Amino acid sequence: MTMVAETISTNGERASETPLLAVQDLRIEFRGKAETIVAVPKLSFEVKPGESFGLVGESGCGKSTTAMAIMGYLGATGVVAGGSIRFEGEELVNAPAHKLRAIRGRRIAMVYQDPMSALNPVKTIGAQLAEVPMLHLGASRVEALDRAAAMLKDVRLPDAGDMLKRYPHQLSGGQQQRVVIAMALLGRPSLLLLDEPTTGLDVTVESAVIDLIGELRRRYGTSLLFISHNLGLIAESCDRVGIMYSGELVEEAPTRELFGRPRHPYTQGLIDCIPDIGQGKHSRTLAAIPGHIPLPSERPRGCLFGPRCAGFRAGLCDRPGMSLEPVGERHVVRCVRWPELEVARRELPPLSGESAAPAAAITVSDITKFYHLGYQKTLKANEAVSFEAGKAEIVALVGESGCGKSTLARIVTGLDRATSGEIRMAGENIAAIEASARPKPLLQSIQMVFQNPDSTLNPSHSAGFSIRRSLKKFGIRKGKAAIDQRMRELLEMVRLSPDFAARRPSQLSGGQKQRIAIARAFASDPSLIVADEPVSALDVSVQAAVVTLLLDIQKTRHATMLFISHDLALVRHVADKVVVMYLGKVMEKGTVEEIFGGATHPYTEALISAIRSTKPEGAERKRVTLTGDTPSPVDVPRGCRFASRCHRKLGSICDREPPPIRRMSATHEIACHIPVEALETPRHQDEARDRS
Amino acid sequence: MAIFVAKRLAMMMLTMVAASFLVFAVCEFTPGSVARKSLGPFATQEQVDFLTKKLKADDPLLVRYGRWAGVLLGIIPDPLQDPSTGLNFKDPRGAQYFGNFGYSTLNKLPVNDVIWSRLGNTAILAGLAFLLIVPLSIVFGILSGLKEGGVLDRLLSVICITFTSIPEFASGVFLVTLFVILWPVLPGTSPLDSEGGWSVPSQLVLPVAVLVIYDFGYVARMIRVSMIGVMEKPYIRTAVLKGMSTRQVVIGHALRNAMIAPFTVLLLQINFLISGVVVTELVFAYPGFGRLLLDASLFGDIATIEAATLITVAIAVTTQFVGDLGYMLLDPRIRLR
Amino acid sequence: MSALVEQRAMEATAVKATGRARLKWARILRSPTAMVGLFLVGFWVVAAILAPVLPLYSPTEQDVMALADPTPSAAHWLGVDILGRDELSRLIFGARTVLVVAPLSVAVAMIVGITLGMIAGCYGGWIDAVISRLSDIILAFPVLVLYVILIANIGPSIINIVIATTIASAPGIGRITRGLVLGLKEQEYIAAARLRAESTLYIMLVELLPNCRGMLIVDACLRIGYTIITIGILGFLGLGLPPPNPDWGGMVKESTTVLNVWPLMSVLPSIAIVSLVLGFNLLADGLREAWKP
């Protein structure tokens, strides 16, 4: 590690503080059989004692790889090819195995993305937790278990003694993540690496976990390296933030400074393309960053963000060897044009609002779907769900996992059959007709955009295959030439060049695959589009582009859309009407203004409150933290479905009786025992009571 | 749990009925052969016709199968033991009892007199082989699965694949050539008596080796695949990043998970060994169950074939059942559901 | 994005970046195991094809003079068998038999097994239950016992070996196919196909089958190897193809009587079988490595 360090200009200012972790000119390579991929070309950053440092970036930017390099765990092919990682003054790169073992779990611990898979399925929680004190603190088994139990109390898991005897699969996702956090803290580490610790958890659970991490950090004085793609989370949990793009740090600053005055065009783009919960559909369009993240093997010369940047200047931005330049106190940015670009920051034009009450295109009434799981076990996926969508309207179905929104989507499209209830479309009840029994015109009129870009296209066929097939099957065009012509038009519609049709899905990025899926859905000229979490698997910078595209096409085609999402901010931006679901039942429905206005269902209130904003002032909003987890849909509460977690529960009536429907207005309904007047004055103050 | 066991037992009965009927149908598709086989090649056609009539061997297949099942369950006496047939077949247990497999036309003895001692001999052979296959395959599988694509993995993989490509008769030929002919340290036949001057244990070495060679590589490959999968799991990373050494990780976290999937495969080898013994016993003239089955099949001794079929299927279904139970013990996710 | 996923993605790009443009089949060229396997199989295939034009003795022609010393000589490179027939010629002509019968049997078994597995996986319900239970019954049977009983009763011939292989292998193939189909059935592209009114047959053949291809080809390779062993065993048990067809298993059986004197006569056909089976097994292993997703 004899490289001459490129001095970072900000180093001088904080020479007085010795960093806890200092990463200097780190270069990480993956050496495959055929080729070497440089995951991280040259990365430098520091984490100071007691500090919380956030590393933000999209998939493939190298942030998690960096975390693994710190832990000395890069797999069989990963190599640290240069630079240094110093932890408390000790060099970790090429450190001997015994030294690494002494540091891992003891002085640096880690919390992982998917807690279920991070825990060994065949060992009890107690056995897995006790390993840490036994390994590092010389504790006996009994002592170790005592410590584990105490730590489980600290992460607020109920009944610690019983929890120790359980297996991971008997815990909910939120509980599992608390166990992983407890495991990390048992060694009393001075640095905690959090690798997307809440991705995959429901928003209300995520909220509680983040609060817990913040609290534990204060109590134990642990430094954090917080890795996430979620800007909102980082904004709230970190003191300082580094933005990574394609393996490089492009900007670094204290949190407030960074989100208040972002200097790098990529940072600005990232912030702009996140829908803001504070603003509604017609306030502005989502700013999408064009293009996609370059593959490590296809990095451009000079500024890596150059090809996607509106301010790109040839001859200036494509010169190699760009360095981080200081722009203010402890604020550095890797952009040669930042002073000019700052002035040029765009104001986003508002969307022209238009609203009329159109005729109903689809009416869903009392849809119920039960799955019989065997002896006296019934999964209640949907129960008495009703709503309607007007022509060219966008109705959003919102809720966390297990709320039944996707089941409903499958019933509408005919991939599944309702147990009872009606779905009327053009006068016909389609609730019980499966796709195979639906007449062609009906199939043609309802199409779907799916969630997972990796499974939406058949890997054995070209990208254009299913579009072509749809055109042919529904007789939209006749003859090979006409079909090909139409397919090219559809590809253009989703802003892809026609030669994409011949590519294999494995050669496309997630965003490109989702575009193809949208083109396929619109190929049959449907009047209703069901979009089931169409962008949730995509990177944020790509999300905005795909949503905008979907909305554009929906608008020009006058198609009705059922937009299914767990992301309230996105829904607020997209939808005309919102249906909030919880455990198979509708909690609240109304226009987007009504849902995000004042009077809401306590669950909606909790959902909205769980959204973390990058706006510094957003942090001052009152927070509702829900306790516990969503009950199983097999064993639903008897009264109000939400009663077990509600922060505004009135009393036993909520457990006993299903709530009445409160009509707030002609379009706004809330299913709650709380009287109308009380609903109109949400009492955020109550939150303290519920944080047991 | 009770439901699970009951279901399994029902399935076992059904499998045995179906298998025995299928075997019966295949062997006895052409009626009348029982008489000829009982009387031997030197009997006159008249004698054969008489016996055929006596045994009602011209009845439809289903009726004959029913009669065979009746004899087995002890509902009706064995028609072959009827003194009026003049065959003089006598079972000391009597003509009618539960578990009466009938009279072997090949050995001219009750099947029950022959089959159990042969099964015992085979159990020794297969049992020894199994005792070697389990640890060998686990060691090979775990070691090569530890680091996929590494030098050790490649080496062990090539050994395993090569060994699974050697059928029992070929390895029999190789081993006999090496250790009996070129370097005579072991006997080439295993009659299980010491008349040839070789001790009984020394007679077991080559047959066991033949079975182990063909089988352990396959199981080791299965364990390897499972181990590779486990080593890629995030919980292994969790364990490593807790600060555990490779040995602690493998023993404490990987081993049990890696054995869950291959456990049933391992038990299925008992089933597989039964196939293997047919050839091995022929090569080494070993007086076992496999050779009995082979001889019976070649001769068309339906009573012995049926008995052997029922026994093998019973063993197979039992191992499957034990496999499922072990699976539940190893994997708490199944156990506690 | 979790570190493991990211790491995988990186590793995958490292492999993909060069492999992407090339054909899937070309990937096996980089697998040494697959190449050795391909060489062994290729050797026997070429020898079998060229057998009639090679300057060989007839495999059934007896050279009584050579019986005096049946070991290798200038006239008979690998010696002669107990009836004085040229060993080399019999080995090469034996390859012809086995290389026709084994792939043919496996092909028929694959067709039957894939069909059953597809049907069971796609339709589910009682159809699946019936197919699966029947498969379980056959799979509970030790395979070789099944072969012995079948062949001993219906007689050894190519057709009968094909029938026996189909009965013995189709349930296993069906089970693999069913498992693959169950995994693929929930993929979103299948839902998309259902939403454009595709028939179940179309979904099976066009949407599902191509995605099962890799696994099934690997399985077929293994099964060919196993069937070669089985044919060898049947020959060894005296249930092989009727003479004078040269049959490797039968050659071993004939010469075991003189194993003490002339071991080479038994060892050579044994080596032939092992090399061919090893070839298919290595090929299967290499393909599995090369096509790993």
Side-chain angles (χ1 to χ4, degrees), chain A residues 276-314:
Chain A
D276 186 357
I277 188 68
Q279 287 167 358
K281 174 170 186 170
H282 307 301
S283 57
R284 56 162 195 167
T285 51
L286 277 182
I289 305 177
H292 59 94
I293 304 158
L295 286 173
S297 52
E298 295 163 0
R299 288 199 184 100
R301 247 164 64 96
C303 176
L304 299 182
F305 186 63
R308 301 176 74 188
C309 184
F312 181 81
R313 286 278 179 285

Side-chain angles (χ1 to χ4, degrees), chain A residues 37-184:
Chain A
I37 293 293
V38 182
V40 174
K42 196 173 191 183
L43 180 72
S44 305
F45 67 90
E46 286 176 355
V47 181
K48 284 173 283 178
E51 188 189 36
S52 167
F53 183 74
L55 212 47
V56 187
E58 298 176 273
S59 55
C61 75
K63 56 189 191 302
S64 295
T65 307
T66 305
M68 285 304 147
I70 295 169
M71 295 305 262
Y73 189 77
L74 281 171
T77 55
V79 199
V80 173
S84 84
I85 301 170
R86 288 188 165 271
F87 173 71
E88 292 179 337
E90 290 173 64
E91 180 61 57
L92 295 187
V93 174
N94 295 334
H98 68 91
K99 193 169 150 193
L100 275 181
R101 280 208 299 276
I103 290 174
R104 288 172 179 165
R106 171 69 189 87
R107 288 158 67 193
I108 310 180
M110 190 151 179
V111 175
Y112 311 87
Q113 170 171 4
D114 179 7
M116 176 68 179
S117 59
L119 294 170
N120 191 334
V122 303
K123 297 187 88 169
T124 59
I125 300 298
Q128 297 188 57
L129 285 174
E131 277 174 352
V132 179
M134 283 162 70
L135 202 63
H136 292 296
L137 308 174
S140 70
R141 175 166 285 276
V142 181
E143 265 179 301
L145 281 172
D146 282 349
R147 284 186 202 219
M151 189 53 84
L152 285 182
K153 273 201 198 85
D154 278 1
V155 296
R156 286 208 224 88
L157 277 173
D159 200 2
D162 176 54
M163 201 59 90
L164 290 175
K165 295 192 197 84
R166 298 223 219 156
Y167 289 95
H169 70 275
Q170 295 168 299
L171 272 55
S172 71
Q175 289 174 327
Q176 287 166 351
Q177 193 57 297
R178 283 163 199 265
V179 169
V180 173
I181 292 170
M183 194 189 289

Side-chain angles (χ1 to χ4, degrees), chain B residues 11 14-15 18-20 22-23 26-28 37 148 154 157-158 161-174 176-177 180-182 214 221 224-225 228 232-234 237 268 271-272 274-276 278-279 282-283 293-294 297-298 300 305 309 312-313 316-317 320, chain C residues 2-5 8 32-33 132-134 136-146 148-150 152-154 175 226 229 231-234 236-239 248-249 252-253 256 259-261 263-264 266-271 273-275 277-279 281-282 285 288-289 292:
Chain B
M11 189 61 211
L14 184 69
T15 309
S20 64
L22 285 175
V23 169
V26 170
C27 298
E28 287 282 281
K37 279 165 190 161
E148 191 192 1
R154 303 223 160 180
S157 289
V158 167
I161 295 177
T162 310
F163 277 16
T164 44
S165 307
I166 309 178
E168 288 98 348
F169 67 87
S171 57
V173 164
F174 297 149
V176 167
T177 306
V180 178
I181 300 165
L182 297 179
Y214 183 48
R221 297 288 287 166
R224 170 184 176 266
V225 169
I228 289 171
E232 283 173 352
K233 287 275 161 54
R237 178 184 63 183
L268 274 181
N271 209 357
F272 206 76
I274 293 173
S275 288
V278 176
V279 178
L282 181 67
V283 172
L293 178 59
L294 178 65
S297 298
L298 294 176
I305 298 175
T309 302
T312 43
V313 171
V317 181
Q320 267 179 18
Chain C
S2 92
L4 270 194
V5 177
R8 292 275 156 66
T33 19
S132 298
R133 287 295 84 76
L134 279 176
D136 283 348
I137 290 174
I138 297 178
L139 287 171
F141 234 83
V143 191
L144 191 70
V145 175
L146 196 66
V148 168
I149 293 176
L150 275 173
N153 280 283
I154 59 180
R175 189 178 272 191
Y226 186 73
I229 289 187
I231 294 171
I233 290 177
L234 287 177
F236 183 76
L237 297 179
L239 293 168
W248 291 345
V252 179
K253 177 192 157 71
T256 42
L259 187 65
N260 285 320
V261 201
L264 199 63
S266 302
V267 169
L268 284 174
S270 297
I271 289 177
I273 289 189
V274 172
S275 66
V277 174
L278 183 63
N281 284 349
L282 289 175
D285 193 63
R288 188 170 21 212
E289 286 294 307
K292 209 159 52 172

Side-chain angles (χ1 to χ4, degrees), chain B residues 216 239 264 269 326 337:
Chain B
F216 97 94
T264 34
Q269 297 317 304
R337 198 167 283 155

Side-chain angles (χ1 to χ4, degrees), chain A residues 194-526:
Chain A
L194 302 158
D195 185 13
E196 304 265 11
T198 58
T199 311
L201 298 180
D202 275 327
V203 273
T204 54
V205 178
E206 166 181 273
S207 191
V209 169
I210 290 298
D211 287 347
L212 175 74
I213 290 174
E215 190 196 309
L216 293 171
R217 178 195 155 207
R218 278 188 294 279
R219 172 142 28 126
Y220 293 112
T222 316
S223 303
L224 300 185
L225 176 57
F226 197 127
I227 290 164
S228 181
H229 70 281
N230 187 331
L231 291 177
L233 281 186
I234 293 278
E236 253 176 61
S237 327
C238 298
D239 305 323
R240 246 165 11 100
V241 181
I243 306 281
M244 277 185 87
Y245 184 78
S246 190
E248 267 187 355
L249 211 56
V250 293
E251 186 164 8
E252 186 197 297
T255 308
R256 204 166 262 268
E257 160 90 4
L258 186 108
F259 290 110
R261 300 184 66 192
R263 306 299 185 134
H264 196 281
Y266 176 62
T267 316
Q268 290 172 8
L270 267 187
I271 293 171
D272 287 344
C273 67
I274 299 171
D276 186 357
I277 188 68
Q279 287 167 358
K281 174 170 186 170
H282 307 301
S283 57
R284 56 162 195 167
T285 51
L286 277 182
I289 305 177
H292 59 94
I293 304 158
L295 286 173
S297 52
E298 295 163 0
R299 288 199 184 100
R301 247 164 64 96
C303 176
L304 299 182
F305 186 63
R308 301 176 74 188
C309 184
F312 181 81
R313 286 278 179 285
L316 191 64
C317 296
D318 52 6
R319 273 185 299 191
M322 288 200 162
S323 58
L324 283 168
E325 292 180 24
V327 296
E329 200 198 342
R330 300 166 65 202
H331 191 164
V332 289
V333 64
R334 199 185 297 272
C335 177
V336 284
R337 299 193 67 227
W338 69 267
E340 308 152 58
L341 288 176
E342 194 197 7
V343 188
R345 192 177 175 196
R346 346 167 232 174
E347 275 308 309
L348 298 158
L351 264 182
S352 56
E354 49 175 324
S355 57
I362 181 168
T363 314
V364 174
S365 34
D366 281 328
I367 283 296
T368 297
K369 176 69 188 176
F370 291 165
Y371 292 99
H372 296 283
L373 300 179
Y375 186 66
Q376 283 192 339
K377 257 187 173 175
T378 306
L379 189 148
K380 295 182 177 171
N382 291 132
E383 202 171 341
V385 176
S386 306
F387 64 88
E388 60 174 58
K391 176 102 187 89
E393 235 177 8
I394 300 179
V395 174
L397 296 178
V398 182
E400 297 173 287
S401 54
C403 77
K405 53 192 196 302
S406 292
T407 308
L408 196 63
R410 291 177 65 85
I411 293 171
V412 170
T413 50
L415 293 171
D416 219 327
R417 234 185 305 190
T419 310
S420 66
E422 280 190 0
I423 298 175
R424 296 220 164 256
M425 204 173 147
E428 211 180 330
N429 179 15
I430 58 170
I433 318 174
E434 274 200 83
S436 52
R438 289 188 178 185
K440 258 192 194 172
L442 181 58
L443 275 175
Q444 182 187 342
S445 63
I446 307 178
Q447 285 291 314
M448 189 160 174
V449 178
F450 299 92
Q451 173 174 14
N452 184 353
D454 291 329
S455 101
T456 203
L457 300 177
N458 192 327
S460 295
H461 299 302
S462 69
F465 173 83
S466 55
I467 302 179
R468 217 179 272 134
R469 188 74 197 166
S470 191
L471 290 169
K472 192 174 162 209
K473 204 71 191 165
F474 290 120
I476 306 293
R477 290 289 188 280
K478 299 264 188 290
K480 198 177 176 311
I483 287 175
D484 278 355
Q485 171 59 30
R486 179 66 189 146
M487 185 189 64
R488 279 194 292 276
E489 288 167 19
L490 285 164
L491 288 178
E492 260 161 50
M493 180 183 83
V494 294
R495 322 250 153 82
L496 290 175
S497 81
D499 60 300
F500 271 85
R503 294 209 198 165
R504 293 270 153 182
S506 60
Q507 295 166 275
L508 304 178
S509 72
Q512 287 165 344
K513 284 186 234 181
Q514 257 343 42
R515 282 164 197 260
I516 301 267
I518 292 171
R520 173 178 66 193
F522 281 98
S524 66
D525 285 321

Side-chain angles (χ1 to χ4, degrees), chain B residues 47-183:
Chain B
Q47 286 171 302
V48 172
D49 289 345
F50 172 77
L51 190 60
T52 304
K53 212 165 188 174
K54 192 86 202 148
L55 296 174
K56 301 201 188 84
D58 283 331
D59 284 347
L61 186 68
L62 225 67
V63 177
R64 280 182 285 139
Y65 177 72
R67 203 177 295 135
W68 170 83
V71 171
L72 176 67
L73 296 174
I75 299 166
I76 53 169
D78 185 0
L80 276 174
Q81 290 189 44
D82 189 341
S84 65
T85 56
L87 286 169
N88 203 19
F89 284 174
K90 265 244 147 337
D91 188 339
R93 299 168 194 82
Q96 186 178 358
Y97 62 95
F98 180 80
N100 185 356
F101 280 121
Y103 224 84
S104 161
T105 49
L106 171 68
N107 296 300
K108 306 282 187 281
L109 279 171
V111 173
N112 277 323
D113 281 357
V114 187
I115 204 157
W116 300 108
S117 66
R118 293 293 198 101
L119 193 64
N121 288 344
T122 295
I124 295 170
L125 182 59
L128 282 173
F130 191 68
L131 282 182
L132 285 170
I133 287 168
V134 173
L136 261 180
S137 56
I138 290 179
V139 169
F140 269 62
I142 297 290
L143 284 180
S144 61
L146 211 50
K147 201 171 169 214
E148 191 192 1
V151 181
L152 188 66
D153 178 28
R154 303 223 160 180
L155 182 73
L156 296 181
S157 289
V158 167
I159 293 176
C160 289
I161 295 177
T162 310
F163 277 16
T164 44
S165 307
I166 309 178
E168 288 98 348
F169 67 87
S171 57
V173 164
F174 297 149
L175 291 177
V176 167
T177 306
L178 285 175
F179 298 108
V180 178
I181 300 165
L182 297 179
W183 183 40

